Amino acid sequence: MRNLSNADLAQLLDQDIFHQISQAADSLSVACYVVGGYVRDLFLERPSNDIDVVVIGSGIRVADALKKQLGKKAKLTVFSNFGTAQVKFKGMEVEFVGARKESYSHDSRKPVVEDGTLEDDQNRRDFTINAMAVCLNQNEFGELVDPFDGLADLHDGIIRTPLDPDITFSDDPLRMLRCVRFATQLKFFIDDETFEALRRNAYRIKIVSGERIADELNKIMMTQHPSRGFVELNRCGILEIILPEFAKMDVVDVKNGKAHKNNFYHTLEVVDNMCQHTDNLWLRWAALFHDIGKPRTKRWDPVAGWTFYNHNIVGSKMVPDIFRRIKFPMDTKMKYVQKMVNLHMRPIAIADEEVTDSAVRRLMNDAGDDIDDLMMLCEADITSKNAQRKQRFLDNFRIVREKLNDLKERDYKRLLQPCIDGNEIMEMFHLQPSVEVGILKQTLKDAVLDNKVPNEREPLMQLLKEKAHKMGL
């Protein structure tokens, strides 16, 4: 994070778009400020093209004035019902809204909105680090307005609400997920008082739509270490409401002195391992759900100890219900996650035994084009603290990968090499090795590669005879 004076801020905002906004606001004699995430990210040195502007008056009027100044290259969209407007210009999106104050009813996230002051607008912001504003009017260009010490919280790495957190979260419970999401994205800590309010108001998350919950969960999942977010959601009680199947994994049972591992924290380790290698959102979700069937399949066996037989099958059957409840897409993405959960034990079973061609070929057939993703998931699943055991699995997985690559190459050649070879061609037409034999071989090969005929004896023989006839053989 960098320390910036008002002069520094003015210099950073010394861009044509901000001067144009300043001119538009001054022409209407209204005060305007860039606010929220854009200001926060200036200090965090995170580039952004999304600019939020608060106007003490009509944001729509300022947006309209800006559009006229920028000309045809700018696109203006007005949302009259919400009193907001958006101007898109050269890859930037500027959102305008009039300063407002809000009041909420207990059973809805939709506030009653009234015109307000800058102070009112900053009071309604979710967190102190998002409540900072920088003036854009010419006379005070670059001056920071920070009534809640958001800058200090940025410096200390703290997420805190501007006003009473119980009111902030009860008014709009989505802010609780945003709190955890920002803490995860920025690697900040949640202020103690704010966290206790999360715990007290967790039940309020029930009034938030599944779509909004899914959006925040996906943002947490796409961070560098999603485990931070899911641990916080679990600690405050929100997880057991929105993902109870996962929250139930945070338990360790002991019988006859034998305990199984905590599958909740094991899973989060797998997710973090996965995130080092892929940005595939749905593969990350597959990592989170890969052991989701373990609580339902946990059994005590006097000989084997704790077992989780068929947890992969049970878990894969749970995936559609989870996706449906949290409004994830019920399409190929769900099927993909379901397949990953179902198959995640297969490579481990193969690696733990003799790696045979038939077992690997069956795995390739079942996994299809997703075989590499499945192997990535299984390697991320190796979290043993026993270095020798971990290395043994990694070595065996390496053998499985080598076998996969070998079989892919062999099967590729088998499928694409014509089933009639040069020796048979020479025997059929009583030829010695010659240019003619080469031409006939290439004719068959080109036909197979171009998928003109199937790689089967009868159609290839017909093609061969026709070509030979044309060549006078």
Side-chain angles (χ1 to χ4, degrees), residues 5-11 13 18-19 22-23 25-26 30-34 54 56 118 133-145:
S5 65
N6 285 346
D8 293 328
L9 284 170
Q11 187 172 359
L13 297 175
F18 291 110
H19 289 297
S22 177
Q23 181 180 335
D26 285 343
V30 295
C32 75
Y33 302 81
V34 57
V54 164
I56 316 305
L118 177 63
V134 178
C135 187
L136 294 180
N137 297 97
Q138 184 176 0
N139 290 341
E140 298 176 341
F141 192 84
E143 289 193 15
L144 177 67
V145 183

Side-chain angles (χ1 to χ4, degrees), residues 391-432:
Q391 190 58 51
R392 177 170 64 84
F393 269 110
L394 288 173
D395 289 343
N396 284 354
F397 272 128
R398 179 178 51 78
I399 294 172
V400 173
R401 279 192 177 275
E402 289 173 356
K403 183 74 71 174
L404 281 167
N405 291 332
D406 179 57
L407 283 175
K408 283 179 183 178
E409 185 175 351
R410 282 160 52 191
D411 287 352
Y412 176 80
K413 289 180 178 178
R414 177 176 58 82
L415 290 171
L416 296 184
Q417 289 296 329
C419 57
I420 300 173
D421 62 16
N423 291 328
E424 190 171 358
I425 290 172
M426 287 189 288
E427 186 177 340
M428 282 179 61
F429 298 104
H430 308 290
L431 295 172
Q432 295 296 316

